[in-house]
Amino acid sequence: MTEQMDIVLMNIGQLLTMDSQGPKKGKAMGELEFIEGAVLGIKDGEIRFVGKQEEKKDLLAAKIIDCERKLVTPGLVDPHTHAVFGGSREHEMALKQQGVPYLDILKQGGGILSTVEATRETSEMELFEKSTFYLDRMLSLGTTTAEIKSGYGLNEDTELKQLRVTKKLQQKHAMDVVSTFLGAHAIPPSHRDKPDEFLQEMVGMFQQVKEEQLADYVDIFTETGVFTVEQSKEYLSKAKEYGFGLKIHADEIDPLGGTEMAAELGAVSADHLVGSTDKGIKKMAQSGTVAVLLPGTTFYLGKHTYARARKMIDEGVIVSLATDFNPGSSPTENLQLIMTIAALQLKMSPEEIWNAVTVNAAHAIGKSEEAGQIMMGRKADVVIWDAPNYKYIPYHYGVNHVNTVIKKGRILYQRGKIYG
Ligand SMILES: N=CN[C@@H](CCC(=O)O)C(=O)O
Ligand SMILES: [Zn+2]
């Protein structure tokens, strides 16, 4: 019997389905589910057929795309970004070149704090337009779901402004967006000697953030000169009481014990983890807290010690990857580039990398049921790549390999033509 679809992708070289029950860990992270010579049927924004070419010769569609044996995958999931911010920080490049450490720039009122100033001065409308531009770019690079954190307000007005921009993006942008409240991102100059008072103010926002459904997660930057493990524990415990999921910027620069804390609190994810101890890694494996690794940040901060992804995978931690897109420590929307850095610096295999940017990344932001897999009945978030196989993406670096992005069954991006 013939079946009518809206779009059929035929002649797919490799179709990564990422079929799995739950996130991947341990040995399973090195295994990838894919179909060679596949066909994919999309109707009403959903995946309606996944299978071998020869199984289904009778699919009819308004649009048939010949994939010419290219790679087709689920849309990428970016589980850690700071994509709503004012200004930019290109002036910090010279400081970086002089070797001024990231935390010193922050201590001198620069870094995060200079973006806070710019974000406070930028209107909600302007922030929305700026972030729309960044999300459009992410989409063109193959990302169809992303998390966005606040944290460049550090006062009630601007934190709410950022969160409202994110909510508007959730409503208006084609991309699926998950919102995280990161009011505890730095200590503002107004509270330099009163960090506890500042945290109390941020706790004071929990009720409103919850009621207006402005965020699903609460995050904190646990770091030397920012918030201690004790302060973070107290803050996150309160967030938990309000029903927020927990995320933590943990052990990015100094190994303070944020990894252990994340596991103990049952955080959904702990992010960065460059300085995680053996004990912390073991605890993460036991708790099921996802490690969101951000190797683009380590690269961009000019550091040579990266998160111990191999150890984490061997110990059974659920490992995922993100851009950490932000104006200071990782100004890139490009997850493809992160995949290359993960291969070269984290020594992750291509299979592990693909699991990390799809199924595991979706799990890190509570989207396991919706994103990161190509399965019957799922939303049709699909990328056609100008690549012969999945190993090619981390290998050929620094360019955009995306040919076509389909989001919820709609073609939203196609590689542009050059008229010569
Ligand atoms: N480390 C803390 N926060 C961000 C950086 C923010 C910034 O530098 O503006 C991060 O995840 O890397
Ligand atoms: Zn971050």
Side-chain angles (χ1 to χ4, degrees), residues 173-192:
H173 201 275
M175 194 132 124
D176 280 310
V177 172
V178 170
S179 176
T180 296
F181 175 49
L182 177 58
H185 194 194
I187 305 167
S190 56
H191 291 71
R192 187 156 289 142

Side-chain angles (χ1 to χ4, degrees), residues 37-58:
V39 60
L40 187 67
I42 297 171
K43 190 175 163 62
D44 297 333
E46 285 181 2
I47 308 281
R48 290 289 177 83
F49 179 80
V50 187
K52 289 284 245 186
Q53 189 91 23
E54 53 270 24
E55 284 169 33
K56 213 71 184 173
K57 292 209 170 67
D58 50 359

Side-chain angles (χ1 to χ4, degrees), residues 80 82 89 102 112 152 185 221 249 252 272 324 326 328-329:
H80 183 137
H82 304 251
R89 308 226 293 268
Y102 179 72
I112 295 173
Y152 291 123
H185 194 194
F221 188 15
H249 281 65
E252 174 183 357
H272 285 292
D324 191 17
N326 74 71
S329 65

Side-chain angles (χ1 to χ4, degrees), residues 7 50 117 193:
I7 306 178
V50 187
E117 246 173 74
D193 303 314

Side-chain angles (χ1 to χ4, degrees), residues 10 42 51 195 254 271 282 301 386 399:
M10 52 168 288
I42 297 171
D254 293 329
D271 304 35
K282 273 211 159 50
L301 292 181
D386 285 320
V399 295

Side-chain angles (χ1 to χ4, degrees), residues 364-384:
I365 53 172
K367 289 277 178 192
S368 322
E369 300 299 313
E370 293 169 49
Q373 288 173 298
I374 290 183
M375 283 159 63
M376 293 283 280
R378 283 281 180 122
K379 269 190 273 191
D381 293 356
V382 178
V383 180
I384 306 172

